[in-house]
Amino acid sequence: MAAAVLGELPALPLHTAGKYVAGAYIVVFAIVLIYVVIMAIRLVRIERQLGELLAREHGPEPEELDARSAESTLA
Amino acid sequence: MQSSSRHPAGSPHTKPRRGGDFGSYGRGLPALSIATVVVITVTLALVFFYAPLEAEQGFLQKIFYVHVPLAIIALCGFVLGGVFGAVHLRTRDSRWDMRSYVAIHMSLIFAVAALITGSIWAKGSWGHWWVWSEPTLVSFLIVFLLYATYQPLRFAIEDPERQARYASVFAITAGAFVPMNFIAVRLSTAYLHPRVLGSTSNLPPRMAFTFLMSLFGMALLFATLCKYELTAKHARAQLRALRRQADARAGAHSSAGWAGGAQRRRPRSAAPTQLPATRMSARAAGRPGS
């Protein structure tokens, strides 16, 4: 089926103009890709910060930490 | 333009929305993303296998289907940023300032892509990467450079409210400049650049259809990327609000303990973010838009 469809499609005249057309479309694709990578980095950062916050929230209570630090100072 | 009676001075107004205090910018984002991918894929197929070859330029003319929609959407995005800026000045709602910022930010990216693809097309067609005697190219570059000053101007202002206000004024002024500039170029007679807007009826039907699909695909891409940006900024703002609450709680228990974390951890980006006004004002955060 796919081969039949491809067989019907006209051949692309990729001579001298081909590199310019390919270049233009690759630039746009690359810009979108860079944007997606930046968004991915931001997402990872948000996830990490959320993890830190959750760890803090579910970690030892502040009073407990104070008591621990007092003990260590006395020691 | 001011409506200070509606909103308390010194705090950005953020209306609570259904589904939570801060609403959700991510609603509909997966569907929009899928629609964008489908439309762009179909458009690419149309460009390369459906639209006929142009008689003079041949295969090189295929750049038209990516370059022109990019430029049109970038210019429309600049104008949209001005409209959002006007709404922000009118309502004092920080969400509109954020939308204005994101629209201009994304338009700048699209404008860079339009300039690069146009330069490639010029090289293939005219043999030069840039032609200074071409009014359309130079006017687009002027608009791009004008908007390139938006972010330095914005972040040179410390006070978040003044920053948002001045940025909105800039967005409106520059947004008005865009159509004026466009009309001025259209009125000039000594041009070489092919006319596109208003002449789609001159294109063969298959070319016109492909071009309109390209334009639609680019508009969808613009909307999707803006929505991604808004969602990310909103998520970061919510995270900061949560952290401030946690710091405040910890500070109540021990002033020397976790409260120091509030000073240590500063937002990395100076870009505007929507604030939960019910919990914390931008002034209290001590950073522009934080």
Side-chain angles (χ1 to χ4, degrees):
Chain A
M1 173 73 179
V5 171
L6 285 171
E8 288 296 314
L9 293 173
L12 292 175
L14 295 169
H15 39 83
T16 50
K19 61 181 180 182
Y20 293 112
V21 176
Y25 280 86
I26 286 169
V27 162
V28 174
F29 180 72
I31 287 174
V32 173
L33 198 64
I34 289 167
Y35 182 81
V36 170
V37 169
I38 291 169
M39 290 307 293
I41 291 167
R42 282 186 192 173
L43 183 63
V44 168
R45 191 185 299 159
I46 288 172
E47 190 187 27
R48 180 172 48 77
Q49 288 174 350
L50 193 60
E52 286 171 8
L53 194 63
L54 282 171
R56 265 173 56 181
E57 287 295 298
H58 297 295
E61 290 297 315
E63 293 91 344
E64 200 179 323
L65 280 182
D66 287 344
R68 280 186 199 170
S69 63
E71 281 169 16
S72 64
T73 310
L74 289 172
Chain B
M1 292 289 278
Q2 294 204 2
S3 59
S4 55
S5 61
R6 260 186 271 176
H7 312 297
S11 67
H13 179 71
T14 307
K15 292 173 189 165
R17 288 188 277 172
R18 277 190 301 174
D21 276 352
F22 313 127
S24 168
Y25 283 96
R27 196 177 300 150
L29 190 54
L32 190 62
S33 304
I34 291 166
T36 304
V37 169
V38 168
V39 170
I40 287 181
T41 308
V42 169
T43 303
L44 283 174
L46 290 175
V47 166
F48 290 108
F49 302 114
Y50 176 74
L53 285 179
E54 207 254 349
E56 281 184 26
Q57 297 203 13
F59 190 63
L60 189 66
Q61 188 262 349
K62 300 288 183 191
I63 299 177
F64 162 84
Y65 298 108
V66 66
H67 165 70
V68 178
L70 275 172
I72 290 172
I73 297 298
L75 293 177
C76 289
F78 287 140
V79 175
L80 197 65
V83 172
F84 288 159
V87 178
H88 168 249
L89 285 184
R90 190 170 174 78
T91 62
R92 298 283 179 204
D93 186 338
S94 64
R95 284 179 299 175
W96 290 105
D97 174 49
M98 190 164 73
R99 283 171 188 152
S100 173
Y101 170 84
V102 168
I104 291 173
H105 175 73
M106 207 53 67
S107 297
L108 273 170
I109 296 171
F110 273 57
V112 168
L115 282 170
I116 295 172
T117 53
S119 198
I120 292 170
W121 193 7
K123 178 66 179 169
S125 184
W126 300 330
H128 300 284
W129 292 106
W130 190 263
V131 180
W132 287 105
S133 58
E134 169 56 52
T136 311
L137 297 188
V138 177
S139 70
F140 191 85
L141 183 67
I142 289 169
V143 169
F144 171 75
L145 291 176
L146 173 68
Y147 276 96
T149 63
Y150 172 80
Q151 294 195 351
L153 181 128
R154 176 170 193 121
F155 300 127
I157 300 167
E158 291 274 329
D159 179 46
E161 284 173 38
R162 275 181 59 219
Q163 183 194 94
R165 207 164 55 243
Y166 287 9
S168 293
V169 171
F170 179 97
I172 294 166
T173 314
F177 176 73
V178 171
M180 282 166 56
N181 188 50
F182 184 77
I183 292 164
V185 171
R186 299 280 293 187
L187 291 175
S188 74
T189 51
Y191 53 72
L192 300 166
H193 203 272
R195 302 292 94 195
V196 175
L197 276 184
S199 64
T200 46
S201 56
N202 297 334
L203 288 173
R206 289 169 76 165
M207 273 190 184
F209 176 69
T210 308
F211 171 70
L212 291 175
M213 280 294 288
S214 305
L215 196 60
F216 181 55
M218 281 299 165
L220 272 181
L221 183 66
F222 182 86
T224 307
L225 295 184
C226 279
K227 212 162 165 57
Y228 268 106
E229 190 81 29
L230 285 167
T231 308
K233 286 193 184 308
H234 185 60
R236 216 162 47 206
Q238 284 181 311
L239 188 62
R240 280 181 206 151
L242 276 174
R243 190 188 290 152
R244 279 194 294 266
Q245 284 174 27
D247 287 340
R249 271 204 303 275
H253 286 106
S254 165
S255 59
W258 288 3
Q263 292 168 350
R264 281 197 306 273
R265 291 190 181 84
R266 292 207 170 246
R268 293 186 186 190
S269 169
T273 48
Q274 181 191 331
L275 298 173
T278 51
R279 313 280 170 100
M280 173 71 76
S281 78
R283 265 187 211 287
R287 265 297 284 267
S290 59

